[in-house]
Amino acid sequence: MKKRIVSLVLCCLILCAGSVQVFAAEPNVYAPSAVSFPISPYMDYIIQANGTLYINSKGVATVDCDVYGYQGTTTRVEISANLQQYTSGSWVTIKTFTANSDSHRTSLSETYSVSKGYNYRVQANIKAYSGSSVETRSVTSSEASY
């Protein structure tokens, strides 16, 4: 009888040791409202798209935009860059520049004279094609004052 009790206790110990449950509590994590690193969406045809604006001391704005697609996948790219002026509480497009290419990349660099006393930015709409499929992305430059 002693052997049966010892065997039963040993079996219970082995079963209990093999099925130990461990509970983990989720830490109390504070998530700040401002993210300190950029988050970029994964895109199928567009690797990189940029839009920048520079205004010199004479009021000549230089708009630079470029797009790079995946070589071998992207068959055509298009840029429509809107030079915008902040007027009466909203952004108004004052000039649009376009560029396109039957390739995986293209760029544009254009100039335009702007009026003094306003803030400006570039808002570019990018399209990348793979055959008849299209992917779009919008980029906005930093603001520049003149």
Side-chain angles (χ1 to χ4, degrees):
M1 182 73 173
K2 245 183 175 179
K3 284 186 180 182
R4 284 187 179 175
I5 293 175
V6 171
S7 296
L8 184 63
V9 169
L10 284 176
C11 287
C12 287
L13 286 175
I14 291 172
L15 287 175
C16 290
S19 64
V20 175
Q21 292 182 349
V22 177
F23 298 97
E26 184 176 332
N28 187 6
V29 178
Y30 170 72
S33 61
V35 178
S36 61
F37 54 90
I39 298 174
S40 297
Y42 172 79
M43 307 208 73
D44 293 322
Y45 310 138
I46 299 171
I47 297 173
Q48 182 178 342
N50 299 304
T52 59
L53 174 64
Y54 171 74
I55 303 175
N56 69 15
S57 60
K58 295 181 180 182
V60 177
T62 301
V63 174
D64 290 316
C65 294
D66 55 57
V67 59
Y68 297 93
Y70 291 98
Q71 190 172 5
T73 303
T74 305
T75 56
R76 178 175 175 77
V77 289
E78 299 175 356
I79 300 172
S80 178
N82 300 306
L83 176 59
Q84 297 180 329
Q85 179 184 69
Y86 193 74
T87 306
S88 301
S90 63
W91 290 101
V92 178
T93 298
I94 58 173
K95 182 70 176 171
T96 300
F97 305 101
T98 60
N100 59 66
S101 173
D102 289 329
S103 175
H104 67 283
R105 64 183 182 174
T106 194
S107 61
L108 68 80
S109 182
E110 300 284 349
T111 59
Y112 187 79
S113 293
V114 295
S115 300
K116 198 170 192 118
Y118 295 95
N119 286 346
Y120 297 90
R121 73 179 185 182
V122 172
Q123 188 275 322
N125 298 306
I126 309 295
K127 288 184 181 181
Y129 295 85
S130 181
S132 62
S133 297
V134 64
E135 180 174 78
T136 60
R137 184 168 176 189
S138 179
V139 294
T140 304
S141 73
S142 299
E143 293 180 28
S145 299
Y146 177 65

